[in-house]
Amino acid sequence: TPMMMEKTASEMLAFLVGDLCNVITNLSPVKNDFRLTIDSLNDYLDTHQMPEEMRRKLREYMILSETVFRENYYRGLLARLSPGLRSVVANHNLSRLVKKLPFFQYTIRHTFPIVASRTRVVVLPPPELDQYQLTTPNPFRDEVKDATNDGRLVYPLGGGVVDRTTDRPRRRKRFRRGLVTRVGGDLKTFDVRYDDTGEIEFDVDIDRVSIPEPADAEAERVDLRAQRRLHAMLRERDQFVVTIAKLLETQLFMPRDTIVSADLTLNTTMFAVHSGKCLVFGRNAPDVLCSVELKYLDDVVGDDICMLTVGSKQPVPRHYTAIVAALTQVHSLSGEHFADVVQSGSFPVFAAHIRISGCWQHLKRGLIRKARRLRFHLPDDDPMLLGGPQHTPRILTTTPPPGI
């Protein structure tokens, strides 16, 4: 009957619409979980009868923290991968940030030039000489020399041998071998003395330099100890980057939030700014208003977690204040986990320099607190300046890290 047909059509339509909605809803499981979290928050606010102003603030934070929610969701997803794959993903996502951390830069700056110097390397030709340029002289030589008597020209770097009559390459030389004589201050350039001519090329870009394996070095009778020392340093560097990257967690701070409160917040967490801005007061001088720093992309607040690796190895109150100036997303590193990594013995080079950095930070903190105590005529046992017994370790004779 017509009524039965209409009922059947309505049921089929309802089934199709429901199935379509189910497909659309499941396209983004992360978004679905986030919406469920928002609903749970609304239910919590209704249950506890929160005031309207507090409701607005909590909802605003939850909505703005969707990016952080996604990062934490994906972190749980990646935890199901194998350790090797987790390391690859962490290195891909956060290696750039880890390499800009102050204690990492301090270690590399004080070890890599020493280890890399006097090491034999393979240098690729510059991009402009990767193809044959028969009319352009070699930029590293004043002139192109006749190397043979049969009408052939030799391009000393990257050119190979070219027949003058046919302009066809007969032999292509893609690289040259040499000895590193100096590492640039930016750690991205080298001065290399070439074995074939003895000439020195200055400021060779690091992307053109390849370090042969110790086995290859043995075949060429080079200094194996320097070669193996450099390879060990590079392996330790890469593993350290991956280990620290896997420990970073994502957090979000609202404007005017206080990340660090002077003499109240312990040095148990480091924050690397991913987006946004924050202000740090009183980190480098006794007078708070004379020491104001603006931290933004890839800057760090709280690198004094290095102090957890020396002395008493106990957290101490920080002597500065950090306040968020705009909506800020950070990657946080737990000081406890960081100290465990340093003390594990897996990274001897980094551990030694991190401890040196911690010693300098202990000294700096003690001097600033002492200056404030003298300036404001406070007693030595004032709890707002002491924060418990101090254990300043022996300072090693070395160059302090940047910013200390």
Side-chain angles (χ1 to χ4, degrees):
T1 62
M3 185 174 294
M4 292 293 295
M5 293 179 62
E6 290 180 3
K7 182 179 180 181
T8 304
S10 300
E11 291 176 352
M12 293 181 62
L13 180 60
F15 175 77
L16 291 175
V17 171
D19 197 32
L20 179 61
C21 292
N22 184 43
V23 171
I24 294 175
T25 302
N26 291 329
L27 288 178
S28 179
V30 185
K31 203 170 192 66
N32 294 339
D33 287 355
F34 182 71
R35 288 172 178 170
L36 289 175
T37 303
I38 295 291
D39 294 339
S40 300
L41 175 64
N42 292 330
D43 182 66
Y44 172 81
L45 297 177
D46 294 337
T47 301
H48 292 270
Q49 299 180 354
M50 295 291 182
E52 192 61 32
E53 182 66 17
M54 186 175 294
R55 289 171 181 257
R56 184 187 63 80
K57 290 183 178 180
L58 294 177
R59 288 192 181 114
E60 180 184 9
Y61 177 84
M62 189 61 68
I63 292 173
L64 293 174
S65 65
E66 183 176 0
T67 304
V68 178
F69 184 88
R70 287 180 176 273
E71 290 291 334
N72 294 331
Y73 181 91
Y74 294 141
R75 176 182 290 271
L77 177 65
L78 295 176
R80 303 177 183 177
L81 300 177
S82 66
L85 290 177
R86 289 202 302 269
S87 299
V88 171
V89 174
N91 183 64
H92 176 269
N93 292 339
L94 296 171
S95 61
R96 182 186 63 85
L97 174 63
V98 175
K99 291 178 181 178
K100 292 186 177 182
L101 297 179
F103 50 79
F104 182 90
Q105 290 282 335
Y106 178 67
T107 302
I108 294 298
R109 190 168 298 279
H110 287 81
T111 57
F112 188 73
I114 299 174
V115 176
S117 182
R118 313 304 298 176
T119 300
R120 293 199 172 276
V121 295
V122 176
V123 181
L124 301 176
E128 61 270 18
L129 291 181
D130 194 28
Q131 302 294 330
Y132 289 106
Q133 301 179 11
L134 301 180
T135 59
T136 304
N138 191 313
F140 304 106
R141 299 292 292 266
D142 295 334
E143 59 182 359
V144 179
K145 302 189 302 180
D146 277 322
T148 62
N149 296 324
D150 57 358
R152 292 181 298 169
L153 291 177
V154 174
Y155 288 79
L157 180 61
V161 179
V162 180
D163 193 312
R164 179 181 290 174
T165 58
T166 62
D167 287 344
R168 294 179 179 178
R170 293 186 179 179
R171 179 173 57 87
R172 189 167 186 175
K173 187 174 182 180
R174 289 186 173 273
F175 57 83
R176 300 175 73 184
R177 300 183 184 274
L179 183 70
V180 174
T181 60
R182 187 187 68 87
V183 179
D186 57 357
L187 305 181
K188 296 180 179 179
T189 57
F190 300 87
D191 293 350
V192 181
R193 177 184 289 112
Y194 291 112
D195 296 339
D196 51 0
T197 62
E199 63 180 347
I200 297 179
E201 181 181 348
F202 299 97
D203 298 330
V204 179
D205 191 85
I206 192 172
D207 293 333
R208 292 174 51 204
V209 175
S210 175
I211 302 170
E213 293 291 339
D216 299 335
E218 187 172 6
E220 297 187 10
R221 297 179 181 177
V222 302
D223 187 352
L224 289 181
R225 288 179 300 177
Q227 212 76 355
R228 287 168 179 162
R229 187 167 61 249
L230 179 57
H231 273 273
M233 172 65 190
L234 296 178
R235 286 194 298 270
E236 180 177 336
R237 178 200 63 183
D238 296 340
Q239 188 60 38
F240 183 81
V241 168
V242 170
T243 303
I244 297 299
K246 291 165 66 175
L247 296 176
L248 295 176
E249 299 181 356
T250 307
Q251 290 183 269
L252 184 72
F253 292 97
M254 299 293 286
R256 296 185 296 277
D257 280 354
T258 300
I259 300 180
V260 178
S261 296
D263 301 309
L264 293 176
T265 305
L266 301 179
N267 61 330
T268 55
T269 309
M270 185 194 73
F271 306 96
V273 180
H274 177 70
S275 63
K277 300 176 182 178
C278 66
L279 295 170
V280 180
F281 301 91
R283 182 176 179 270
N284 298 315
D287 192 341
V288 175
L289 297 181
C290 291
S291 174
V292 181
E293 299 175 90
L294 178 63
K295 302 290 186 178
Y296 45 91
L297 180 63
D298 293 338
D299 285 340
V300 172
V301 177
D303 59 324
D304 50 3
I305 60 174
C306 296
M307 295 163 58
L308 297 174
T309 63
V310 293
S312 65
K313 301 180 181 178
Q314 297 298 319
V316 295
R318 284 169 166 157
H319 63 280
Y320 55 89
T321 298
I323 300 176
V324 177
L327 185 69
T328 302
Q329 181 178 333
V330 301
H331 294 289
S332 62
L333 175 62
S334 168
E336 180 181 359
H337 295 160
F338 174 73
D340 291 341
V341 170
V342 174
Q343 297 167 14
S344 65
S346 301
F347 310 102
V349 175
F350 280 90
H353 287 80
I354 287 172
R355 291 189 180 102
I356 293 173
S357 179
C359 291
W360 283 106
Q361 289 169 346
H362 263 295
L363 177 62
K364 174 183 175 180
R365 176 179 177 273
L367 292 175
I368 291 178
R369 294 168 73 87
K370 181 67 174 179
R372 290 175 182 173
R373 187 162 52 240
L374 295 176
R375 178 175 181 177
F376 296 105
H377 307 287
L378 296 174
D380 291 341
D381 58 349
D382 189 281
M384 294 302 291
L385 285 177
L386 244 67
Q390 304 302 304
H391 301 276
T392 303
R394 178 175 59 90
I395 303 301
L396 302 180
T397 306
T398 184
T399 306
I404 292 184

